Amino acid sequence: MADVARHAGVSIATVSRALRDAAVAPATRERVLRSARELEYVTSPAGSGLSSGRTKTVALVVPFAARWFFSEVIVGAETALREAGLDMLLYNIGRTDRERFFATLPLRRRVDAAIVVASSLTPDQQHQLRSLGIPLSLLGSRIEGFPSVRIDDEHAAATAGRHLVGLGHRRVAMICGDPSNPVGTATTARRRAGFTTAIEAAGICGPEVVEEEWGITGGGRAMGRILGQADLPTAIFAESDEMAFGAMHTLRRAGIGVPDRISVVGVDDHELAMALELTTVAQPVKEQGAAAARALLHQLTDSIPPSNYDRVLPTRLVVRRSSAPPPP
Amino acid sequence: MADVARHAGVSIATVSRALRDAAVAPATRERVLRSARELEYVTSPAGSGLSSGRTKTVALVVPFAARWFFSEVIVGAETALREAGLDMLLYNIGRTDRERFFATLPLRRRVDAAIVVASSLTPDQQHQLRSLGIPLSLLGSRIEGFPSVRIDDEHAAATAGRHLVGLGHRRVAMICGDPSNPVGTATTARRRAGFTTAIEAAGICGPEVVEEEWGITGGGRAMGRILGQADLPTAIFAESDEMAFGAMHTLRRAGIGVPDRISVVGVDDHELAMALELTTVAQPVKEQGAAAARALLHQLTDSIPPSNYDRVLPTRLVVRRSSAPPPP
DNA sequence: CTGAAAGCGCTTACAG
DNA sequence: CTGAAAGCGCTTACAG
C-alpha cells in the first residue's frame, strides 16, 4: 500500500480511501486505482481486518456436506456471498464433532456473520451461537431470536399426504430418519406431524411410521421392515427423496411393482427423482442458501438485526409415475 | 491478550509463546493457559496473521460443488484440514466465473495454501496459480510442477472395458460429458482413451462415443441418441455413474432390459449405484480430498515443495446386476 | 479533499 | 526462560 501511495504521489490514507468508496477527488481516485493496478496491489485481509474489525468472511455450518440438500445449500450460499465480495468458510460439522465445535466455536473473531444449517439446536448451542455477537441466519428451521430461511415442512408433508389420500389410498406408511440422531430431528418431527394430520383429516387412521438411519440404505431397510409385516400399505411417504430411493430399491428387489402395488412419494426433488420417476414435494434448496446469505448481507450493511426475519419458501408437488391409485 | 498477560502476571510476548509451542517454563505456560481459559481468550486471526504472515486457512477450489464427486472431495478435505486446525475457504468456481476467478485470484494474501480440483488447467491458469507463491495441490489430474492426487483414469476405464469384453460384448458404446465445456475435458479424454484401448485390444473395433452435457439428464439424452440408431450396442460404458443413471432411465422408459439386452457400467460408485444395481469402477473420493489436504500440510510444515508428489489412489471394479453377458 | 498519526492484536528477532 | 520494542498492513478519527 505504501508502494501504491508513493507511485500515485498521495498518502496511504488516501490510497485506503480510494480503494474503497470513501470520499476522494475523482482525479485522485483515478490515479490511485491506476497505480494499484500497475503494481498489482491486493489489499491484505489481515491488515484490513485488524484495523477495521471486519473480516469480509462468512461461515457456513452444515451437518452433512455431501448430502444432496446441503450440497445445494452450499452452492446457493457460496454464489450469493461471492457475488457480494465475501469469502465463505465451510464447516462440515456432523454428529461427531458437533459438541466440540459449539464449545470452542472456531468462528470467534474469524467471521463477520454465519449461516447455520440445522433443523434443531439445543438451548446451549443457541446460547453459544448468540454469544458470538455476529449476525446469524438459520436455515432449515425456525428458532426464536434467529432470522431464518426454510420451507414449511408440515405443509410439504401434508401435501404429500393429501395427494395419496386423493388417489384413494387408505393404508399408508411413512419412512423417517433415525430420531436418535439429534441432527435433523425437528425436520423429521414436523414432516411426520404434517403427514399424519393430513392422513387423519381424511378419516384414515394414522400412518405407521418406520424409523431407520437417514439415507438411501436406511430407506431400503425401513421398506424391508414394512414388507415383513402381514398387512402391507398401498403407499409410502418418505421423509426425503434419498430415503424414497432406498425404499424403491427394496421394492424392486422384492418384485413389488411401483406404483402398481405400492406408491412412493418423497420430499426434495433431488436431481435423480426425475430419472427414477419419483413423485415428490419439491423444495427450492439453492434458493434457501441464497436467501440465507442475503439475510446476512442485509444485517451486515443495514446493521439492523432482523431477529424476526422468517422467510418461508414455497414447495410444490411434482407428480411422476411412482404414485397412482391403489390396486383394487 | 494484554488482559491475559496482566491476569497471568507476564508479558504479552510470553502469552503469545505459551499459547503456541514456543519455549516457555512449564509453570509459566500453565499459568498463562489457565488465565486464557478463565478470560475465554481467543487469538485474533487478523492480529496473528498480520504479524506472522500465516492465515491458518486453506482454499478449496471446485468447479461444481453439488455434484457427487466434488461434494465428497469437500467432505474429505474439510475433515482433514479441520483436524489440523486449519479453516477452509470454499470457492465454487464453475464454468461461468472461472476466468474472472483466475484473473483476480481472490486467494491472494488470503490463504496459506490451496487445493485445486480440476481435470485441466490452461497454461495461463497454471501460471496464475503458481504466481500465488503458496503450496498447492491439484486433485483429479496430473500437471507438471503441481503436487497431485488422483486416480488412474485410463486404467479405471480400461477395467470397465475388459469387464465388458470378458462378458462377451462385441458392440459397445461410451457416453461422455460434453467436451465443449472446458472443465473436465482431460478426465473425459483419459477415460475415453483407456476404454477404447481396452476394447481394441480385444480385437473389437473402437466404441462409438456419444457426447452430451455432463450429468443425469445428459446421460439420458446420450442414451436416447444411441437408441435412435439401427445397430444397437449390447453394452454402454458411461464416464460417470451419474451419466449411467441417466442412461438407465432412458433404457427403462424405452422398455429395454438392463442387463438382458444392454449392459451398463459407470465410474465412481456413487451412493445410489448400489440402489440402482449399477456395475461401476469405484474410486475413493473422500480419500482423495483428504490426501490432497495432507499433501498441503506436509508442504506447510516441512516447507519442502514436493512438486513431484503424485499420489495415485486405487480403483476397483464393483460388479452388480447392470452388467451381464450380451443376449445370444 | 487530504495527510499525519494512532492503533487494531499479534509475532519475533534482540537483549538479557 | 522472559521482556521491551519494532513492525506486520491496514483504517479511521482528527486536523486542516
Side-chain angles (χ1 to χ4, degrees):
Chain A
M1 186 142 164
D3 294 344
V4 177
R6 208 172 308 121
H7 190 274
V10 297
S11 72
I12 61 162
T14 299
V15 173
S16 172
R17 291 193 189 102
L19 257 28
R20 289 164 298 138
D21 53 351
V24 174
T28 314
R29 150 165 300 126
E30 199 44 56
R31 205 142 31 87
V32 171
L33 294 183
R34 188 171 11 237
S35 298
R37 215 175 307 120
E38 274 184 41
L39 301 179
E40 294 193 301
Y41 171 77
V42 183
T43 303
S44 153
S48 156
L50 186 55
S51 60
S52 73
R54 277 171 256 116
T55 64
K56 295 222 141 216
T57 304
V58 168
L60 175 62
V61 185
V62 301
F64 306 106
R67 288 189 192 165
W68 179 81
F69 178 85
F70 302 105
S71 71
E72 293 279 318
V73 167
I74 290 171
V75 169
E78 197 269 350
T79 306
L81 292 172
R82 192 152 39 78
E83 275 170 6
L86 296 172
D87 284 317
M88 186 184 90
L89 283 174
L90 179 67
Y91 295 90
N92 186 36
I93 306 298
R95 206 171 166 171
T96 29
D97 316 305
R98 214 161 177 80
E99 265 191 42
R100 185 155 45 106
F101 178 81
F102 279 96
T104 62
L105 273 192
L107 311 183
R108 229 171 264 287
R109 306 233 231 170
R110 294 238 56 173
V111 296
D112 295 339
I115 299 172
V116 180
V117 187
S119 113
S120 35
L121 292 171
T122 66
D124 254 20
Q125 291 170 344
Q126 295 177 34
H127 174 76
Q128 286 156 333
L129 281 178
R130 267 192 269 264
S131 79
L132 284 170
I134 56 174
L136 296 170
S137 96
L138 187 66
L139 199 158
S141 209
R142 172 82 185 136
I143 293 178
E144 187 58 43
F146 293 92
S148 55
V149 173
R150 57 190 178 106
I151 58 166
D152 183 336
D153 285 302
E154 294 210 24
H155 180 263
T159 303
R162 282 192 298 266
H163 169 62
L164 291 173
V165 167
L167 287 170
H169 291 277
R170 317 292 297 169
R171 274 207 319 282
V172 297
M174 177 170 178
I175 291 177
C176 291
D178 178 2
S180 81
N181 183 342
V183 185
T185 308
T187 301
T188 300
R190 285 191 299 265
R191 292 186 185 171
R192 190 170 162 163
F195 186 68
T196 303
T197 304
I199 294 303
E200 290 177 346
I204 308 172
C205 72
E208 174 192 12
V209 178
V210 180
E211 291 159 342
E212 277 290 346
E213 188 196 348
W214 197 96
I216 298 173
T217 314
R221 265 204 306 272
M223 192 69 236
R225 278 171 52 195
I226 294 172
L227 292 184
Q229 298 166 177
D231 220 26
L232 291 190
T234 60
I236 302 289
F237 171 55
E239 173 186 7
S240 70
D241 282 357
E242 276 147 301
M243 294 203 84
F245 297 152
M248 290 171 91
H249 170 55
T250 295
L251 288 169
R252 188 170 342 116
R253 294 209 71 147
I256 297 181
V258 174
D260 308 345
R261 282 183 52 199
I262 295 188
S263 287
V264 179
V265 175
V267 176
D268 275 345
D269 205 18
H270 187 290
E271 198 195 352
L272 265 163
M274 193 166 62
L276 294 178
E277 326 244 24
L278 175 65
T279 293
T280 192
V281 183
Q283 65 168 323
V285 187
K286 275 196 195 87
E287 289 78 355
Q288 288 179 74
R294 280 194 297 270
L296 242 33
L297 295 174
H298 284 143
Q299 294 179 68
L300 249 19
T301 53
D302 310 350
S303 64
I304 303 168
S307 65
N308 287 318
Y309 183 90
D310 182 23
R311 181 93 191 277
V312 180
L313 275 72
T315 55
R316 77 177 201 291
L317 181 70
V318 178
V319 179
R320 298 202 180 94
R321 305 219 303 216
S322 73
S323 60
Chain B
M1 184 139 163
D3 294 344
V4 177
R6 207 172 309 120
H7 190 274
V10 296
S11 72
I12 60 163
T14 299
V15 173
S16 172
R17 290 192 191 101
L19 256 29
R20 288 163 300 138
D21 52 351
V24 173
T28 315
R29 148 163 303 125
E30 200 44 57
R31 203 142 33 87
V32 171
L33 294 183
R34 189 171 10 237
S35 298
R37 214 174 308 121
E38 274 183 41
L39 302 179
E40 294 194 302
Y41 171 77
V42 182
T43 303
S44 152
S48 156
L50 186 55
S51 60
S52 73
R54 276 170 259 116
T55 63
K56 295 221 141 216
T57 304
V58 168
L60 176 62
V61 184
V62 301
F64 306 106
R67 288 189 192 164
W68 178 81
F69 178 85
F70 301 105
S71 71
E72 292 280 317
V73 167
I74 290 171
V75 169
E78 197 270 349
T79 305
L81 293 171
R82 192 154 37 78
E83 275 170 7
L86 297 172
D87 284 317
M88 187 184 88
L89 284 174
L90 180 67
Y91 294 91
N92 186 36
I93 306 298
R95 205 170 167 171
T96 29
D97 316 306
R98 214 161 177 81
E99 264 190 45
R100 184 155 45 104
F101 177 81
F102 279 97
T104 62
L105 273 191
L107 311 182
R108 228 172 267 287
R109 306 234 228 170
R110 293 237 57 169
V111 296
D112 295 338
I115 299 172
V116 179
V117 187
S119 112
S120 36
L121 292 171
T122 66
D124 255 20
Q125 290 170 345
Q126 295 177 35
H127 174 75
Q128 286 157 334
L129 281 178
R130 265 192 269 263
S131 79
L132 284 171
I134 57 174
L136 297 171
S137 94
L138 187 65
L139 200 158
S141 210
R142 172 83 186 136
I143 294 178
E144 187 56 43
F146 292 93
S148 56
V149 173
R150 57 190 178 105
I151 59 165
D152 183 336
D153 286 301
E154 294 209 25
H155 180 263
T159 302
R162 282 191 298 266
H163 170 63
L164 291 173
V165 167
L167 287 170
H169 292 277
R170 316 293 294 171
R171 274 205 323 281
V172 297
M174 178 170 176
I175 291 177
C176 292
D178 178 2
S180 81
N181 184 341
V183 185
T185 308
T187 301
T188 300
R190 284 191 299 264
R191 292 186 186 170
R192 190 170 160 164
F195 186 68
T196 302
T197 305
I199 294 304
E200 291 178 345
I204 307 171
C205 72
E208 175 193 11
V209 178
V210 180
E211 291 159 342
E212 277 289 347
E213 189 196 346
W214 196 97
I216 298 173
T217 314
R221 265 205 306 272
M223 192 68 238
R225 278 171 53 196
I226 294 172
L227 293 183
Q229 298 166 176
D231 218 26
L232 289 190
T234 60
I236 302 289
F237 171 54
E239 174 185 6
S240 70
D241 282 356
E242 276 146 302
M243 294 203 85
F245 296 152
M248 290 170 90
H249 171 55
T250 295
L251 288 169
R252 189 171 341 116
R253 294 208 71 146
I256 296 180
V258 173
D260 309 345
R261 282 181 53 199
I262 295 188
S263 287
V264 179
V265 175
V267 176
D268 277 344
D269 206 18
H270 187 292
E271 197 195 352
L272 264 163
M274 194 168 61
L276 293 178
E277 326 244 25
L278 175 65
T279 293
T280 191
V281 183
Q283 65 168 323
V285 186
K286 276 196 195 89
E287 289 78 353
Q288 289 179 73
R294 280 193 298 268
L296 242 33
L297 295 173
H298 283 144
Q299 294 179 68
L300 249 21
T301 54
D302 311 350
S303 64
I304 303 169
S307 65
N308 287 318
Y309 184 89
D310 182 22
R311 181 92 190 277
V312 180
L313 275 72
T315 55
R316 76 176 201 289
L317 180 71
V318 179
V319 179
R320 298 201 180 93
R321 305 220 303 217
S322 73
S323 60

